[in-house]
Amino acid sequence: MSDANGYDCEVVIAGGGYAGLAAARALGARALVIDQHQLGAVQRSACAMPLDIAHRFGVASAVLQVFPTGLLHTPYSTSRYRLEPPYCVFDHARLCADLFAQTDARYLRARVLGVADLDATGGTVLTSAGPVRGRVLIDATGWPAVLATARRPALAERRRLTVGMEAEVPGTSEHLHFYFDQRFVRNGYAWVFPAGDTLRIGVGAYDRHTRLSGALADFLRHLGYEGKACRGGLIPWFQRPATVDGIFLAGDAAGQCLPLTAEGIRFALVFGELAGELIGAVLDGRLSRAQGEARYAQALAEHWRRASYFRFFQRLVRPIGSRGVDFVARALALRPVAPRLVRRYAAWSN
């Protein structure tokens, strides 16, 4: 589809990433997904999530490798964690295609420009292909939150965004690897995520002014590899509203990534699905609009209550340094702490 003129939809979903596609999967033919790229064409992350989430959303065919253990490295030691359930790394384009194949939603390739005419009957999404009117709008446009920031410009604050950069090189490994080593990133971390015969190697910083290109090059050399950055992005790990003037926010638009680890894919899927389910209940008359928004806000409030612990540890990374992180990592890896901690973390999105 290339021409939006005349569209009048029940639900307009701005953004065709994980959150937008999960919402479309829940809403079916009621939804129209709008994205400026072909679905699945732009990968911005290392693409890892719990394996049970892949099965829950019917995208297990996109899994490239499964990991029962994760390793956390510091300059002083390596701590091993058994992952229960296992994590997986997946093919981004295949996962997006598999998600969209499960819905009767329509797709419009166009750039989302903003929003207008919001009232009790819905709103109009402004696109490069023309205006699209919907009874309910979902902003799943990533950290820029194009619809929400058109109403509340202050949400576009960049000061606290985490920034990440990643390269892909040939190689294999049996584990997920995380590194907290201030020789490479003073206030952040690094990772190696195997994906079959490829290693996705990256660095992330909690201070977005960090020069990541040099940090990535140094980290690659430390591991014995050479490569160039092939993807990267900004991550809003801080709380944003669940809704803005009746617009539902999901995924990075809602800041649903975790502090410290920047894990966000499973939360984008889960909260995108929840937004779709609640909107469906509103459209069916099973919930009022106010009830739907309130339940969504309540679910996000609980998410951010749990995330407060991660915000606390993120603030500690720089002052305690690599040696302090090593002490905490080894303490958390002890039995019976580690199994209980990992299970609680994995059950977060259930």
Side-chain angles (χ1 to χ4, degrees), residues 5-202:
N5 291 320
Y7 270 111
D8 190 359
C9 309
E10 288 196 273
V11 184
V12 179
I13 303 172
Y18 305 124
L21 292 175
R25 179 176 176 269
L27 286 160
R30 287 173 154 170
L32 170 70
V33 179
I34 305 174
D35 197 283
Q36 65 177 318
H37 302 290
Q38 190 66 36
L39 295 178
V42 180
Q43 178 181 332
R44 292 189 172 90
S45 77
C47 295
M49 64 180 172
L51 182 61
D52 63 342
I53 297 292
H55 287 291
R56 171 176 163 181
F57 283 87
V59 293
S61 62
V63 171
L64 297 173
Q65 194 168 343
V66 176
F67 304 93
T69 56
L71 305 180
L72 195 157
H73 308 272
T74 74
Y76 310 103
S77 70
T78 294
S79 299
R80 178 185 295 262
Y81 300 87
R82 180 171 179 81
L83 303 177
E84 299 177 359
Y87 264 65
C88 66
V89 168
F90 58 86
D91 180 279
H92 167 76
R94 177 66 182 273
L95 182 138
C96 291
D98 288 354
L99 278 175
F100 193 67
Q102 297 177 54
T103 179
D104 296 325
R106 292 171 290 168
Y107 160 66
L108 172 67
R109 185 171 178 181
R111 188 159 61 96
V112 176
L113 304 175
V115 65
D117 304 326
L118 277 174
D119 56 34
T121 65
T124 300
V125 175
L126 306 177
T127 83
S128 58
V132 184
R133 179 108 186 139
R135 290 176 59 189
V136 184
L137 309 182
I138 298 176
D139 190 338
T141 57
W143 74 266
V146 176
L147 303 186
T149 54
R151 305 292 295 183
R152 295 189 193 177
L155 292 177
E157 176 195 7
R158 297 190 180 196
R159 180 173 54 88
R160 293 184 293 168
L161 294 170
T162 291
V163 59
M165 184 178 291
E166 186 176 75
E168 285 198 18
V169 300
T172 61
S173 177
E174 297 179 355
H175 310 287
L176 290 179
H177 299 264
F178 297 88
Y179 294 77
F180 282 86
D181 190 330
Q182 291 189 330
R183 291 175 298 176
F184 308 112
V185 184
R186 183 165 178 79
N187 189 26
Y189 59 100
W191 65 87
V192 177
F193 284 13
D197 57 1
T198 299
L199 298 176
R200 298 171 179 175
I201 300 176

Side-chain angles (χ1 to χ4, degrees), residues 234-287:
L234 299 171
I235 304 167
W237 50 265
F238 46 90
Q239 185 172 3
R240 282 175 164 176
T243 60
V244 171
D245 295 343
I247 303 168
F248 284 73
L249 280 62
D252 282 359
Q256 289 163 351
C257 279
L258 291 184
L260 187 66
T261 66
E263 182 182 359
I265 293 173
R266 63 164 157 158
F267 301 109
L269 291 170
V270 168
F271 283 110
E273 178 185 61
L274 177 61
E277 290 173 345
L278 291 171
I279 290 169
V282 170
L283 295 174
D284 290 339
R286 291 180 281 121
L287 293 175

Side-chain angles (χ1 to χ4, degrees), residues 317-333:
V317 168
R318 184 168 186 167
I320 68 175
S322 300
R323 189 171 292 280
V325 172
D326 179 71
F327 174 81
V328 174
R330 287 188 289 111
L332 294 179

